[in-house]
Each structure stands twice: as C-alpha cells, then as structure tokens.
Amino acid sequence: MAEERRPIIAANWKMNKTHLEAIQSVQKLSYLVDSRDAERVEIVICPPFTALRSVQTLLDSDKLPYGLGAQDVYPEEAGAFTGEVSPPMLVALKVGFVIVGHSERRQLFGEDDTVVNKKIRAVVKSGMTPIVCVGETLEERDAGGTESRVSQQVKRAFADVTTEQAATCVIAYEPIWAIGTGRNAEPADAGAVVQVIRSVLADRFGDEVAGRVRVQYGGSVKPGNIREFMAHPEIDGALVGGASLDPEDFALIVKYR
C-alpha cells in the first residue's frame, strides 16, 4: 500500500516571516524545486495568517505547484471570537490544508484532544485537509507510554469523523521531545509508531482507510536525515519546522532522493 501513497512534505513556518519575506521565500523555492519534484512529492507551504493572501496570490499568478496551508483554525464559522480565523475565511483564500493539534498549540495554548477534534471536524466539513499532529512527551516516552498516548490522541482526534472524511486526512507523528531540539527519533522507531497509528485507524475505519491515510514524520527534520525517514515504508512525508525557513534547505528535503 505504501507505494500508492504520494509523499507529502509540508513547511510549517510557525511565527516567522512577514508577507514580503514569505513572497521572497516562495519565489526562491520555485527556482530550486522543479515540476518533476512537485509531481513526485506534494509540497505544502504553511505561512503565518498574515502572509496567506500574499502567498496565495503568488501561487496563483506564477502557477506554482504547491499547496497552501494554514497553521491553525478556529472551529466556528463566524462569531464574537476576537483574534480567531474561521474555516470559511481560509477557504476563501484557497487554503487546502490546516495544521491541527500541533504540540505547540497543545502545550503553549492549552488545546486538548476535544478542541483538536472540533477543529478537525470543522476543517473536513469545509472541504480542507487537516494535518493532524500527534506525539508524546519525553516523560511519556521514557515511561514506555508512547503507544498508549499516541493511540489515545488518534482515537479522540477522529471521534465523530466519518470514514470518508478520515480517508482524506493527513497525520503527522511529531514526538514532542524531538521538536526544535536537534534530536530526532530513529526511523525504525518512528515507523513503529506510525504502524500504531494505522492500527488505530484500521480498528476505527477499516484497513482500506488505514492504508490510504498519509502519515508524516515531524521532529527536527533536516536535509541530512530526511532520506532515512523517507526510506521507511510506513512514513509518507514530513512536517518540517525550522529547516523549512531556508528555501535551500527545504528544497533539499523535497529532493530527498
């Protein structure tokens, strides 16, 4: 089944780059990544909210083969939610992907599995694709709780999500202890956790959906280690943080072969 899944590599810029810097980065990337790379790998750029419109206009005008992603969303369509951005607002900007449940949202802003689930359902209802982040802390890992924690996150994330909706989702396994630390999981260990994720999906939605869902690895992904992760048959791509800020580094990650 793995060979049927097109790899997806997403750049999560987090709170970096003005809209002008974002334009420059995407333009530079377009010179480094050719159409053959984009055919082989689905490339998604996730800039801050303030740069979404600028990047979307550039992608459209230059006909660049990249998907546009948002880093978060609020699960209501409209209302008195100062500072938030709704799914319809993102759809109007031709956003195709939304990162949901990133560990920084969970840890710094107190988002729990219930909030993550609401966001996922709002994203799929709007026709966008959620990139659902799951992963364990160092304490949970050292205590042997990786499997139970990740399984719990996946089960709760996909509560009340239909089989058809689940099949369109992307999951990012991001061990929290490896994000921005320079440490990363071994490909075999990451692959084993991805197998756990697929097992949970199979129990909930069946083997076909479990085999269709693409699961990325996220956690200090760099040009020097991407090939090892992509060589694992269970890993379908990467959610790239810091290394995606440099177009040259991100291009090398996309060109991992």
Side-chain angles (χ1 to χ4, degrees):
M1 292 182 186
E3 47 276 6
E4 299 173 5
R5 298 188 297 262
R6 183 186 178 199
I8 176 169
I9 296 180
N12 177 17
W13 288 352
K14 307 188 181 185
M15 196 177 73
N16 293 286
K17 298 186 185 294
T18 65
H19 73 289
L20 295 175
E21 292 168 336
I23 291 171
Q24 293 170 348
S25 290
V26 174
Q27 286 176 328
K28 186 171 184 178
L29 183 68
S30 70
Y31 294 116
L32 299 169
V33 175
D34 61 31
S35 59
R36 289 173 298 177
D37 297 317
E39 288 174 4
R40 181 175 55 83
V41 175
E42 186 165 13
I43 303 166
V44 180
I45 309 296
C46 302
F49 285 133
T50 53
L52 280 172
R53 174 60 172 166
S54 298
V55 173
Q56 177 247 318
T57 301
L58 177 61
L59 296 182
D60 282 356
S61 63
D62 289 8
K63 296 181 172 57
L64 300 179
Y66 311 146
L68 182 63
Q71 297 177 19
D72 191 27
V73 70
Y74 194 73
E76 299 294 335
E77 294 196 357
F81 305 105
T82 300
E84 296 295 340
V85 175
S86 72
M89 292 174 180
L90 297 179
V91 170
L93 289 175
K94 300 182 181 179
V95 170
F97 298 83
V98 183
I99 299 173
V100 179
H102 191 281
S103 62
E104 291 160 0
R105 298 299 313 176
R106 296 178 189 257
Q107 291 187 303
L108 300 178
F109 302 99
E111 294 188 5
D112 59 17
D113 292 331
T114 299
V115 171
V116 172
N117 172 252
K118 288 180 180 178
K119 290 186 176 185
I120 291 170
R121 288 188 285 120
V123 169
V124 295
K125 180 182 177 182
S126 297
M128 296 181 291
T129 298
I131 299 176
V132 184
C133 299
V134 298
E136 81 282 18
T137 64
L138 182 59
E139 292 75 18
E140 290 166 337
R141 171 183 167 84
D142 289 343
T146 295
E147 182 173 336
S148 61
R149 178 60 178 140
V150 172
S151 295
Q152 180 185 68
Q153 287 177 322
V154 176
K155 289 175 183 177
R156 291 178 176 177
F158 285 90
D160 298 319
V161 174
T162 69
T163 299
E164 293 74 19
Q165 291 170 336
T168 68
C169 295
V170 175
I171 297 177
Y173 167 55
E174 45 157 26
I176 296 170
W177 51 270
I179 298 173
T181 64
R183 299 177 58 183
N184 53 271
E186 292 297 324
D189 293 335
V193 178
V194 175
Q195 287 180 315
V196 170
I197 292 170
R198 293 199 195 283
S199 176
V200 174
L201 293 174
D203 289 343
R204 174 75 168 77
F205 302 109
D207 290 340
E208 182 179 351
V209 170
R212 286 176 57 188
V213 171
R214 292 177 292 178
V215 185
Q216 304 171 305
Y217 172 74
S220 296
V221 176
K222 298 177 175 64
N225 62 24
I226 181 63
R227 185 178 297 180
E228 298 174 34
F229 286 103
M230 294 304 296
H232 196 288
E234 289 290 348
I235 297 174
D236 305 314
L239 179 60
V240 187
S244 71
L245 297 175
D246 183 333
E248 293 184 356
D249 280 350
F250 189 63
L252 289 174
I253 290 172
V254 169
K255 295 171 176 286
Y256 61 89
R257 288 185 177 176

